[in-house]
Amino acid sequence: MGYSKFLFKMAQITVLDKTFESYISHDQIDQAIQRIASNLEKDLAEENPLFLVILNGAFMFAGDLFKKLTFPAEISFIKFASYDGTQSSGEVRQLIGLDENIEGRSVVLVEDIVDTGISMEKVLEYLTTKKPKEVRIATLLFKPKSYQKHFKIDYTGLEIPNDFIIGFGLDYNGQARNLKDIYKIVQ
Ligand code: IMP
Ligand code: MG
């Protein structure tokens, strides 16, 4: 690897070949997650929902969100890969990891970010064939200007412009998921 530590300079950080600047603080992220948790409680406290976390990016959001829930709920993880570098590839690979029978259940899909919406639509199509009672979507981040689809996003943490971002689970070529704040690319 070309580095052993992230290089922090002012509010900037260099990851591989790109520079990123501070964008969303951990406090802001935490408040957004708390709002989502409260809204989920209003809607689903009696449903024993199954939270399905879309790996890898959503793992950190999901962990923080799940800790804030004060009603019965279950969590499991599914995975597929569609993202390479800084451009959405538009190609979505096979979805793996759904072991639970979701027929008749309330499911909440947990995603780090909805960009074009292509990946999430694939997940929705797949889950619909398994006859859940309902599927809701909780995403920490949403890029409305990039969004190409029409499905409803039930719980959104923060809406952001089209800039490429990293941190809090989001990566650049596998790196930077461990940052607790979110950074955006310096153009
Ligand atoms: P979509 O299919 O275009 O909606 O892309 C969704 C996936 O692309 C997300 O689950 C992320 O993993 C990834 N993604 C989208 N935007 C970004 C970004 O700005 N930084 C890192 N990953 C992103
Ligand atoms: Mg993702």
Side-chain angles (χ1 to χ4, degrees), residues 6 17-18 24 31 40 42 72 75 77 94 96 98 109 111 126-127 139 145-146 149-150 163 172 187:
F6 293 131
D17 59 336
K18 300 210 185 318
I24 305 171
Q31 285 166 23
L40 284 163
K42 279 180 212 140
I75 190 164
F77 301 85
Q94 193 63 36
I96 53 171
L98 182 64
L109 282 170
E111 180 58 301
Y126 173 73
L127 291 186
T139 187
K145 291 207 175 71
S146 183
K149 302 294 179 182
H150 303 283
D163 312 294
Y172 169 50
Q187 299 294 349

Coordinates of all heavy atoms in Angstrom, one line a residue, residues 6 17-18 24 31 40 42 72 75 77 94 96 98 109 111 126-127 139 145-146 149-150 163 172 187:
F6 N -3.7 7.4 7.4 CA -4.4 8.5 6.7 C -3.6 9.8 7.0 O -3.2 10.0 8.1 CB -5.8 8.7 7.2 CG -6.7 7.6 6.8 CD1 -7.5 7.1 7.8 CD2 -6.8 7.1 5.5 CE1 -8.4 6.0 7.5 CE2 -7.6 6.0 5.2 CZ -8.4 5.5 6.2
D17 N -5.3 8.2 -3.8 CA -4.8 9.3 -4.6 C -5.7 10.5 -4.5 O -5.6 11.5 -5.3 CB -4.8 8.8 -6.1 CG -6.1 8.3 -6.6 OD1 -7.0 7.9 -5.7 OD2 -6.4 8.3 -7.8
K18 N -6.7 10.6 -3.6 CA -7.6 11.7 -3.6 C -7.7 12.4 -2.3 O -7.4 11.8 -1.2 CB -9.0 11.1 -3.9 CG -9.1 10.5 -5.3 CD -10.5 10.6 -5.9 CE -10.6 9.9 -7.2 NZ -9.5 10.0 -8.1
I24 N -19.6 16.2 7.1 CA -20.7 16.0 8.0 C -20.1 15.5 9.3 O -19.4 14.4 9.3 CB -21.8 15.1 7.5 CG1 -22.3 15.5 6.1 CG2 -22.9 14.9 8.5 CD1 -23.2 14.5 5.4
Q31 N -27.4 12.8 15.2 CA -28.8 13.4 15.3 C -29.7 12.8 14.2 O -30.9 12.6 14.5 CB -28.7 14.9 15.2 CG -28.1 15.5 16.5 CD -27.7 17.0 16.3 OE1 -28.2 17.6 15.4 NE2 -26.8 17.4 17.2
L40 N -39.0 5.3 13.1 CA -39.2 3.9 13.0 C -40.1 3.4 14.2 O -41.0 2.6 14.1 CB -37.9 3.2 13.1 CG -37.1 3.2 11.7 CD1 -35.6 2.8 12.0 CD2 -37.7 2.3 10.7
K42 N -42.3 5.1 15.9 CA -43.7 5.5 15.7 C -44.4 4.5 14.7 O -45.6 4.2 14.9 CB -43.8 6.9 15.0 CG -43.7 8.0 16.0 CD -43.8 9.3 15.3 CE -42.9 10.4 16.0 NZ -42.2 11.3 15.1
P72 N -39.0 -4.3 20.1 CA -38.5 -5.6 19.6 C -38.3 -5.5 18.1 O -39.1 -5.0 17.3 CB -39.7 -6.6 19.9 CG -40.5 -5.9 21.0 CD -40.3 -4.4 20.7
I75 N -32.3 -8.3 13.3 CA -31.4 -7.7 12.3 C -30.7 -8.9 11.6 O -30.3 -9.9 12.2 CB -30.4 -6.7 12.9 CG1 -29.6 -6.0 11.9 CG2 -29.5 -7.4 13.9 CD1 -28.9 -4.7 12.4
F77 N -28.2 -9.5 7.6 CA -27.4 -8.8 6.7 C -27.4 -9.4 5.3 O -27.4 -10.7 5.1 CB -25.9 -8.8 7.2 CG -25.8 -8.2 8.5 CD1 -26.1 -8.9 9.7 CD2 -25.5 -6.8 8.7 CE1 -26.0 -8.3 11.0 CE2 -25.5 -6.2 9.9 CZ -25.7 -6.9 11.1
Q94 N -25.2 -10.4 -7.9 CA -26.2 -11.2 -7.2 C -26.3 -10.8 -5.7 O -25.3 -10.4 -5.1 CB -25.7 -12.6 -7.3 CG -26.7 -13.7 -6.8 CD -27.9 -13.6 -7.7 OE1 -27.9 -13.4 -8.9 NE2 -29.1 -13.8 -7.1
I96 N -26.8 -11.8 -1.9 CA -26.6 -13.0 -1.1 C -26.9 -12.8 0.3 O -26.8 -11.6 0.8 CB -25.1 -13.6 -1.3 CG1 -24.1 -12.5 -1.0 CG2 -24.9 -14.1 -2.7 CD1 -22.7 -13.0 -0.9
L98 N -29.7 -13.8 2.4 CA -31.0 -13.8 3.0 C -31.4 -15.2 3.4 O -31.8 -16.0 2.6 CB -32.0 -13.2 2.1 CG -33.4 -13.1 2.7 CD1 -33.5 -12.1 3.8 CD2 -34.5 -12.6 1.6
L109 N -35.2 -2.1 5.0 CA -33.9 -2.2 4.4 C -33.0 -1.0 4.9 O -33.5 0.1 4.9 CB -34.0 -2.1 2.9 CG -34.5 -3.3 2.2 CD1 -34.9 -3.0 0.7 CD2 -33.4 -4.4 2.2
E111 N -29.6 1.1 4.4 CA -28.6 1.4 3.4 C -27.8 2.6 3.8 O -28.3 3.5 4.5 CB -29.3 1.6 2.0 CG -28.5 2.0 0.9 CD -27.4 0.9 0.5 OE1 -26.6 0.6 1.3 OE2 -27.5 0.4 -0.7
Y126 N -36.1 -8.2 -5.6 CA -35.8 -9.5 -5.1 C -36.6 -9.8 -3.9 O -37.2 -10.9 -3.8 CB -34.3 -9.6 -4.7 CG -33.8 -10.8 -4.0 CD1 -33.7 -12.0 -4.7 CD2 -33.5 -10.7 -2.7 CE1 -33.3 -13.1 -4.0 CE2 -33.1 -11.9 -2.0 CZ -33.0 -13.1 -2.7 OH -32.5 -14.2 -2.0
L127 N -36.8 -8.9 -3.0 CA -37.5 -9.1 -1.7 C -39.0 -9.3 -2.0 O -39.6 -10.1 -1.3 CB -37.3 -8.0 -0.7 CG -35.9 -7.9 -0.1 CD1 -35.9 -6.8 0.9 CD2 -35.4 -9.2 0.5
T139 N -32.4 5.0 4.8 CA -31.0 5.3 4.3 C -30.5 6.5 5.1 O -31.2 7.5 5.3 CB -31.1 5.6 2.8 OG1 -29.7 5.7 2.3 CG2 -31.8 6.9 2.4
K145 N -30.4 14.6 -6.5 CA -30.1 15.0 -7.9 C -29.6 13.8 -8.8 O -29.6 13.9 -10.0 CB -29.0 16.1 -7.9 CG -29.6 17.4 -7.4 CD -28.8 18.6 -8.0 CE -29.4 19.9 -7.6 NZ -29.2 20.2 -6.1
S146 N -29.2 12.8 -8.1 CA -28.7 11.6 -8.9 C -29.7 10.5 -9.0 O -29.7 9.6 -9.9 CB -27.5 11.0 -8.1 OG -26.9 10.0 -8.7
K149 N -34.9 6.7 -9.8 CA -36.0 5.7 -9.7 C -37.2 6.4 -9.0 O -37.2 7.6 -8.8 CB -35.5 4.6 -8.8 CG -34.4 3.8 -9.4 CD -34.8 3.2 -10.7 CE -33.6 2.5 -11.4 NZ -33.9 1.8 -12.6
H150 N -38.3 5.6 -8.7 CA -39.5 6.2 -8.2 C -40.0 5.6 -6.9 O -41.0 6.0 -6.3 CB -40.6 6.1 -9.2 CG -40.2 6.7 -10.5 ND1 -40.2 8.1 -10.7 CD2 -39.7 6.2 -11.7 CE1 -39.8 8.4 -11.9 NE2 -39.5 7.3 -12.5
D163 N -21.7 15.1 -4.7 CA -20.3 14.9 -4.4 C -20.0 13.5 -3.9 O -20.8 13.0 -3.2 CB -19.8 15.9 -3.4 CG -20.2 17.3 -3.7 OD1 -19.8 17.9 -4.7 OD2 -21.0 17.9 -2.9
Y172 N -13.8 4.6 -0.3 CA -13.2 4.8 -1.6 C -12.2 3.7 -1.8 O -11.3 3.5 -1.1 CB -12.5 6.2 -1.6 CG -11.6 6.4 -2.8 CD1 -12.1 6.2 -4.1 CD2 -10.3 6.8 -2.7 CE1 -11.3 6.3 -5.2 CE2 -9.5 6.9 -3.8 CZ -10.0 6.7 -5.1 OH -9.2 6.8 -6.2
Q187 N -12.7 18.8 -5.4 CA -12.6 18.7 -6.9 C -11.4 19.3 -7.4 O -11.0 20.4 -7.0 CB -13.9 19.3 -7.5 CG -15.2 18.7 -7.1 CD -15.3 17.3 -7.5 OE1 -14.6 16.8 -8.4 NE2 -16.3 16.5 -7.0

